[in-house]
Amino acid sequence: MTENGLEDLTSASCAALDAAEIVFGGPRHLGLMGVGVRGQVWPVPFDIAPVLALRGQGLQGRAVAVLVSGDPFWHGAGGSLTQTLDPGEWRSFPAPSVFSLAAATLGWRLEEVACLGLHAAPLARLRSHLQPGARAIVTLRDGAAARDLALWLTATGLGDARLWVLENLGGPRARLRNGLAAALDLTDIGPLVSLALQVPQTANSTLPRVPGRPEGLFAHDGQITKSPVRAVTLAALAPRAEQLLWDLGAGSGAVSVEWCLAGGRAIAVEARADRLANIAANIATFGLEGRMNAVRANLPEGLGSLATPSAIFIGGGFSAALFDRLAALAPSARLVVNTVTLETEALVAALHKSHGGSLMRMDFAQAEPLGTFRGWQSSRPVVQWSVVL
């Protein structure tokens, strides 16, 4: 349904609603539809359990209707319900989504716009989508969240992003206002709000799109895989959408962050509490809640309860015992080991001889002041072994 209520429903939607003996929805939805005593308000926090409790009573007897905004399978309750229900237990009657209504209001090509549901997700989830000239449409929990998003954009250096505040779309009370993020000063934003934004073409504070992002973007105590080594490491790990990475001895979790920004999921395993705090900060900064988790554990004892990974990275603390444990826990996973010590280098050289894979050495040097001139300052060479277990 849309904000226009019954007026915009199709005949099929009206027939299904008329036939329903019980109608679930929010107070606004139920009021717009005028269902009276048939209406049942969703519990707070939101839970589909009351609908599922009536399972088996639908097409065979009592009919149940669920009112949701727009397209129920685009950041809507439809996906949550159908994960449990069988195909023959439900029918859907979609209406235009918030994103479609916003694009129609602004005249934007929807296929060129990032569409995100931020009504129940951190604002930082938007960060990887913010590129020069990029457009996005996001749903928000309430009017206060629109102001929060404007402040967040300003704090990340995008105060000159253009914002459109869209309220009560699809109904007679629809309202559209716009301004720059740094100057947005609206105090009467209603609770039924979405927001569209466009990043200026000249923006230079957005995230690079490739791995090897600068160390300064991450919270760390110096224990971080350096940018050029990280770029090579991610190439060896070969991220793929939704695949799981174990980042063992994660330090700052920078490799996990880069993996997740490439579309994967990651578990960062670290024994030190202070470094776990840095990992948690990086998860929040890059909006990776739900994609990246930090686990405090010692190696290899703490690995048995973790979901099986597609790839494993070890930046320190590698041993023969750990290799044997990983081979047993994650057969066929891609393993990448970086080492800077002679002892571990000898170990990976021996394993490379017996198990194959790729063994290479990386040497990097940067220009640094040398008196009144400049000279090359070499970093410690890194030996990398990559293999399929």
Side-chain angles (χ1 to χ4, degrees), residues 174-202:
R175 180 166 63 166
L176 170 66
R177 292 174 287 175
N178 74 86
L180 298 181
L184 189 68
D185 186 24
L186 303 177
T187 58
D188 60 338
I189 303 174
L192 193 63
V193 60
S194 57
L195 188 143
L197 65 93
Q198 182 163 11
V199 180
Q201 288 284 359
T202 56

Side-chain angles (χ1 to χ4, degrees), residues 9-10 32 61 86-87 91 129 149 167 174 182 185 192 217 221 225 242 252 285 300 326 332 339 358 381-382 384:
L9 288 189
T10 65
L32 284 169
D86 294 329
R91 288 174 294 168
H129 298 275
L149 181 52
E167 301 168 78
D185 186 24
L192 193 63
L217 295 176
D221 61 358
T225 304
E242 298 303 322
S252 67
T285 296
L326 294 175
S332 77
T339 178
S358 173
V382 177
Q384 182 181 95

Side-chain angles (χ1 to χ4, degrees), residues 140-349:
L140 298 169
R141 67 178 184 275
D142 54 28
R147 293 188 291 273
D148 291 343
L149 181 52
L151 292 172
W152 179 81
L153 287 167
T154 303
T156 58
L158 292 173
D160 55 350
R162 173 69 61 177
L163 305 184
W164 289 263
V165 181
L166 305 110
E167 301 168 78
N168 301 299
L169 286 177
R173 298 182 297 119
R175 180 166 63 166
L176 170 66
R177 292 174 287 175
N178 74 86
L180 298 181
L184 189 68
D185 186 24
L186 303 177
T187 58
D188 60 338
I189 303 174
L192 193 63
V193 60
S194 57
L195 188 143
L197 65 93
Q198 182 163 11
V199 180
Q201 288 284 359
T202 56
N204 57 14
S205 61
T206 58
L207 284 180
R209 297 300 297 268
V210 297
R213 296 169 176 92
E215 288 102 76
L217 295 176
F218 299 89
H220 65 92
D221 61 358
Q223 187 70 19
I224 183 172
T225 304
K226 299 301 187 286
S227 296
V229 177
R230 198 175 338 115
V232 175
T233 298
L234 265 292
L237 287 168
R240 291 169 172 81
E242 298 303 322
Q243 287 193 344
L244 177 65
L245 171 74
W246 283 359
D247 184 359
L248 306 184
S252 67
V255 169
S256 287
V257 168
E258 302 262 36
W259 173 278
C260 291
L261 291 176
R265 298 176 294 113
I267 300 174
V269 181
E270 175 56 54
R272 287 179 47 170
D274 56 338
R275 289 177 177 165
L276 280 171
N278 284 334
I279 295 171
N282 288 324
I283 291 173
T285 296
F286 291 92
L288 298 176
E289 292 89 341
R291 302 199 68 81
M292 177 176 168
N293 295 314
V295 174
R296 186 175 186 181
N298 293 313
L299 302 176
E301 298 84 3
L303 300 177
S305 61
L306 304 181
T308 304
S310 297
I312 304 167
F313 171 64
I314 304 173
F318 185 61
S319 66
L322 179 55
F323 175 76
D324 291 340
R325 180 67 169 150
L326 294 175
L329 289 174
S332 77
R334 302 185 298 279
L335 172 67
V336 176
V337 180
N338 287 356
T339 178
V340 296
T341 68
L342 293 174
E343 291 79 6
T344 312
E345 181 178 332
L347 172 61
V348 297

Side-chain angles (χ1 to χ4, degrees), residues 13-38:
S13 296
C14 289
L17 183 63
D18 289 342
E21 297 181 41
I22 300 173
V23 181
F24 285 90
R28 179 178 61 87
H29 291 162
L30 296 172
L32 284 169
M33 292 298 154
V35 296
V37 296
R38 295 183 296 155

